[in-house]
Amino acid sequence: MSSGKKTTLSYEKITYRNAKKYFYLRVCLEFQEPTVLNAVEMHCLVTKALKELHGDTGTALLCDLIHFDSSSRTGILRVYCSGLVRLWSALTMLSSFRGHPCAVRIMQVSPFLLSLSGDSRSWTPPEPTASESQN
Amino acid sequence: MVRLKNRYVLCAVRGGDSALRALSPTAVYNTVSHALLVQHGMYGQARCLIGMTVSYVNMKTGVVIVRVRKDSLPLLSSALPFVSDVGFPPNRVQCNLHTLHVGEERQRVREAITSTCFPVDLDKDVDADLDMDAD
């Protein structure tokens, strides 16, 4: 006669709200005229956008420029999850920088940096090789 | 039925007789509006100016009552300490706004004035009860 205790498996659901500390934004700058921009000027642009829309409290927001490509004028910004809406709205409302009309396009937003490495809109499947096509 | 809740902020102007002479509802309104623009940007200024009025200004005692929506009270209360001058140029005068009391009803604020701050008759003194709505 077996006297082993029966262990019942229990199901537990745990939900974390706003668990991620940072959010990452992939942004792209568009100018009417061809303009060369470096990383420092890009950071100044972000600070100016926050200052215009949200004032001194907006400039106090901790925002980092992780990566910036001068040729394509695209960069990756990192911000605390509590400041995401402020930063996103400030970048969207920016219309000029140093007298040049410009626009900031928010391409991707994700709490994971790895997900910014690619997306289905820009990814193209590789062409199948001849051996693969025969098989 | 949507009920709009207001908050009445009782402030005192500290800056000497010259600051009291420069007091007017328009001057106080413009000063507070500028402080909101600097601290909270265009968004904070626009959000707070909806329903904001200077209900009472007393040039003798320097008592100012500002009415603001309940949702905008944190923006206003955080911007008032940064008010450094009042008046229109070239008659700008250096002064400070000390927040004394925040009440839900104007009657409560009047009671706070008569019981704690100044023994003045609010009905007899100069009562600039003008609406300075932006629209």
Side-chain angles (χ1 to χ4, degrees), chain A residues 120-131:
Chain A
S120 59
R121 284 174 289 179
S122 59
W123 179 77
T124 53
E127 293 290 333
T129 57
S131 59

Side-chain angles (χ1 to χ4, degrees), chain B residues 77-122:
Chain B
S77 57
S78 60
L80 282 177
F82 294 95
V83 172
S84 59
D85 50 20
V86 72
F88 299 100
N91 299 324
R92 281 196 180 274
V93 180
Q94 301 241 335
C95 69
N96 290 321
L97 278 182
H98 288 211
T99 303
L100 303 175
H101 182 77
V102 177
E104 297 176 357
E105 297 175 6
R106 193 174 176 182
Q107 186 61 31
R108 300 286 176 267
V109 176
R110 293 163 71 96
E111 291 173 3
I113 292 176
T114 54
S115 62
T116 59
C117 302
F118 304 100
V120 295
D121 191 348
L122 294 174

Side-chain angles (χ1 to χ4, degrees), chain B residues 19-123:
Chain B
L20 297 181
R21 282 194 293 271
L23 275 185
S24 69
T26 314
V28 175
Y29 183 88
N30 288 338
T31 298
V32 173
S33 174
H34 179 71
L36 283 166
L37 178 66
V38 171
Q39 293 304 315
H40 300 290
M42 290 190 293
Y43 171 75
Q45 183 193 38
R47 183 178 169 184
C48 204
L49 287 185
I50 298 173
M52 186 182 98
T53 60
V54 179
S55 298
Y56 176 82
V57 172
N58 192 321
M59 296 174 66
K60 293 181 184 177
T61 57
V63 173
V64 173
I65 298 178
V66 180
R67 187 193 75 186
V68 74
R69 293 275 171 87
K70 178 187 173 184
D71 297 335
S72 308
L73 179 63
L75 295 176
L76 178 70
S77 57
S78 60
L80 282 177
F82 294 95
V83 172
S84 59
D85 50 20
V86 72
F88 299 100
N91 299 324
R92 281 196 180 274
V93 180
Q94 301 241 335
C95 69
N96 290 321
L97 278 182
H98 288 211
T99 303
L100 303 175
H101 182 77
V102 177
E104 297 176 357
E105 297 175 6
R106 193 174 176 182
Q107 186 61 31
R108 300 286 176 267
V109 176
R110 293 163 71 96
E111 291 173 3
I113 292 176
T114 54
S115 62
T116 59
C117 302
F118 304 100
V120 295
D121 191 348
L122 294 174
D123 295 326

Side-chain angles (χ1 to χ4, degrees), chain A residues 21-96:
Chain A
K21 192 176 176 184
Y22 295 106
F23 267 85
Y24 300 90
L25 295 89
R26 177 191 289 280
V27 299
C28 176
L29 253 74
E30 289 185 6
F31 284 90
Q32 277 190 349
E33 303 139 1
T35 308
V36 178
L37 217 66
N38 56 23
V40 176
E41 290 171 329
M42 176 64 182
H43 203 277
C44 288
L45 184 145
V46 173
T47 306
K48 175 181 177 287
L50 284 168
K51 170 71 177 173
E52 277 185 3
L53 192 64
H54 296 290
D56 289 344
T57 56
T59 54
L61 198 65
L62 288 177
C63 173
D64 304 318
L65 182 64
I66 296 178
H67 172 75
F68 184 70
D69 184 12
S70 300
S71 57
S72 60
R73 287 192 296 269
T74 57
I76 297 178
L77 296 167
R78 184 183 72 170
V79 68
Y80 276 99
C81 61
S82 59
L84 173 65
V85 174
R86 286 190 172 191
L87 177 64
W88 197 338
S89 58
L91 291 174
T92 304
M93 300 298 289
L94 184 69
S95 60
S96 67

